[in-house]
Amino acid sequence: MPASKILMITGDFTEDYETMVPFQTLLACGYTVDAVCPGKKAGESVATAIHDFEGDQTYSEKRGHNFALNATFDSVRAEDYDALVIPGGRAPEYLRLNADVIKSVRHFFEAGKPVAAICHGAQLLAAAGVLKGRTCSAYPACRPEVELAGGIYADIAITDAVSDGNLVTAPAWPAHPSWLRQFMTVLDASSIPETNAA
């Protein structure tokens, strides 16, 4: 089974599918996943929001589930994790104002560790200043933020994802199969120990 330890940074009104599905899928595939939210402890919950595409000019939003956190933000160290997952929804909008969150996101990029972000998760990447010259998908409304941060916006189908080195991104939850498959490929590749040629 995979040994990778993954940090998920989330918050209130995180997108329901974009939080629950990767959390449960990665656990089911043998990864360790610690879900945290600034200001909350293990055992507490964040409220989720269900975003859907119902023919309007933008997505609709409804109250979702209570997602239970299994780790405490103030107790975790980014250095102890092999990869980062950033769900979308409303949470990145306010999480990007937290200096400790920004510091954690930067650590994964500086260390070259795998990072998966989906939908509005790109807001956090843009705020952390880690997108310069990187190809990044996001919900289309986040395109200006990706480009203003120096990123190359990937205008792909809502069911697709894109990898740029250690960064795997997608526009929204319909891309889960592609997004999670690409992320696990990057994760597995990063966990292969290097061997010295004889």
Side-chain angles (χ1 to χ4, degrees):
M1 280 205 164
S4 296
K5 189 174 180 184
I6 302 168
L7 182 65
M8 174 184 280
I9 300 178
T10 189
D12 282 322
F13 296 99
T14 181
E15 210 291 321
D16 189 275
Y17 294 167
E18 294 168 5
T19 307
M20 298 277 205
V21 173
F23 181 78
Q24 293 175 342
T25 299
L26 292 166
L27 287 176
C29 290
Y31 300 96
T32 298
V33 186
D34 285 349
V36 299
C37 172
K40 297 195 180 192
K41 298 177 181 177
E44 294 182 333
S45 297
V46 293
T48 73
I50 296 171
H51 293 152
D52 211 345
F53 308 99
E54 301 178 288
D56 301 303
Q57 290 182 327
T58 188
Y59 55 84
S60 61
E61 184 174 73
K62 303 172 184 71
R63 177 68 163 86
H65 297 89
N66 291 326
F67 174 71
L69 304 165
N70 64 347
T72 302
F73 181 80
D74 289 343
S75 300
V76 300
R77 296 173 63 250
E79 294 80 3
D80 295 334
Y81 292 88
D82 302 306
L84 173 67
V85 173
I86 304 172
R90 300 280 298 282
E93 177 181 280
Y94 79 91
L95 290 175
R96 60 185 168 172
L97 304 178
N98 185 303
D100 291 329
V101 170
I102 295 297
K103 182 180 176 183
S104 293
V105 171
R106 286 179 178 155
H107 163 78
F108 288 92
F109 281 85
E110 289 164 1
K113 297 177 182 179
V115 175
I118 191 165
C119 203
H120 285 72
Q123 291 179 316
L124 207 40
L125 302 180
V130 295
L131 289 180
K132 189 170 184 179
R134 304 296 297 266
T135 298
C136 177
S137 176
Y139 188 67
C142 296
R143 179 174 189 157
E145 290 161 278
V146 170
E147 293 179 339
L148 286 168
I152 302 158
Y153 179 75
D155 188 5
I156 57 179
I158 200 164
T159 54
D160 289 342
V162 62
S163 296
D164 181 346
N166 65 313
L167 176 63
V168 183
T169 54
W173 58 259
H176 276 151
S178 180
W179 181 59
L180 288 168
R181 183 172 55 251
Q182 289 185 43
F183 181 52
M184 285 188 274
T185 298
V186 172
L187 271 174
D188 293 344
S190 71
S191 66
I192 297 171
E194 292 183 10
T195 55
N196 294 324

